[in-house]
Amino acid sequence: MNIPASLRTSLHSHRALLLLVLAYTAVVLWLAGSRPTRHDIAPLLASFALAALTGPVFLLCAWTGYVMCMLRPARLCHFLCQELRRHLHRERLMHALPALLLVPLFALSFTTFKAAIPRLHPFDWDARLSAIDIALHGGTAPWAWLQPLLGHPLLTGLLNVAYHFWFLLFYALLYWLILDTRRPLLRMQFLLSFTIAWIVLGSVAALLFSSAGPCYYGHFHASDPYAPLMAYLHDSNHSIPVWALKVQDMLWQGYQSGGTVGELGISAMPSMHVATSVLMALVAWPTRRAAGIALAAFTVLIMLGSVHLGWHYALDGYVGAAGAVLIWQAVGLALRRRGAPASLPLGIAPCLNKEGVTP
């Protein structure tokens, strides 16, 4: 088979990512204990397609918002079409193709593993994590420390929006980096760090410290120190919608279903929202300082929201943030020792300025 030279170069530069994702997928299939039946194929393919389309759609939405707010062309649709045709040339797509295929495969494998955690290791760390969390914060649960500051429906609603905005921001940034050609070392550092973090922190550590989180604490323990927090959130929901409550109910129903296809899974320790937000701030900092500061502030909001909305113990966020920084530094050191991945020639690497995307 005659593989284009640009694709061969891209496959070579993505070999570490390829090995990680395929090895992780193989382990997930092995842990699942059985191959998908013919009845599972259609839902699995639909999940892969959804994962493959989510990122590009979110990136397009974010880019369109940037063009509308910052560039403000006279003919928006014409401008977007022209820039997309100029930007998405063959060399760029060949450069991005391995990651474009590996990321949705990895997302599907991660979701499958996360859903299997309570069957591999039932939730038995919540009481210990809660006790450590309270001890670390002077004998008071972190949510109680935050309640005088954040315990207003409007602030709760804003944190709820920020917590859900994480998905749009993460996927937009991820696929922007996948398509980027000017910063090969930084790009690969983020792709590998994100993958390793979700394997080491989001899979291995989540399995070892299997926990459901404060919002589900009362389902497993008679004495629930988080009952007042959840009561406040339900009361606040009557004033300003708290979408987190619906998502928490949906995840709990999936958990009770016992592993049906489509279950998204529950896991508290460590917080991958916080860990991934830290990685986003780290990758943005050397690119544009203002973006790095903004994403660092966003990370703080995610940390506060993870506790205030009942998703996580504060300890989950601390571990996620520390693990993300360590992984980022280790991957960066390894890449610098190995040498930067191959990049496209500068002549075909576009750059965004006031006039839009220019070659």
Side-chain angles (χ1 to χ4, degrees), residues 21 24 47 51-52 102-113 171 194 198:
V21 172
Y24 178 75
S47 298
L102 289 172
V103 165
L105 175 62
F106 180 67
L108 183 58
S109 301
F110 178 80
T111 302
T112 303
F113 183 89
Y171 274 105
F194 143 69
W198 283 33

Side-chain angles (χ1 to χ4, degrees), residues 218-233:
H219 292 290
F220 301 99
H221 302 278
S223 177
D224 183 7
Y226 304 97
L229 170 63
M230 300 311 297
Y232 160 76
L233 291 175

Side-chain angles (χ1 to χ4, degrees), residues 171-237:
Y171 274 105
L173 179 63
L174 174 63
Y175 278 81
W176 170 68
L177 284 167
I178 286 174
L179 292 168
D180 182 64
T181 59
R182 299 180 69 88
R183 309 169 187 87
L185 186 61
L186 191 65
R187 171 186 182 272
M188 190 55 65
Q189 186 174 0
F190 182 83
L191 292 178
L192 290 175
S193 297
F194 143 69
T195 304
I196 294 171
W198 283 33
I199 293 173
V200 175
L201 301 177
S203 301
V204 177
L207 179 62
L208 293 175
F209 303 101
S210 181
S211 51
C215 58
Y216 304 115
Y217 197 96
H219 292 290
F220 301 99
H221 302 278
S223 177
D224 183 7
Y226 304 97
L229 170 63
M230 300 311 297
Y232 160 76
L233 291 175
H234 280 89
D235 287 342
S236 181
N237 188 49

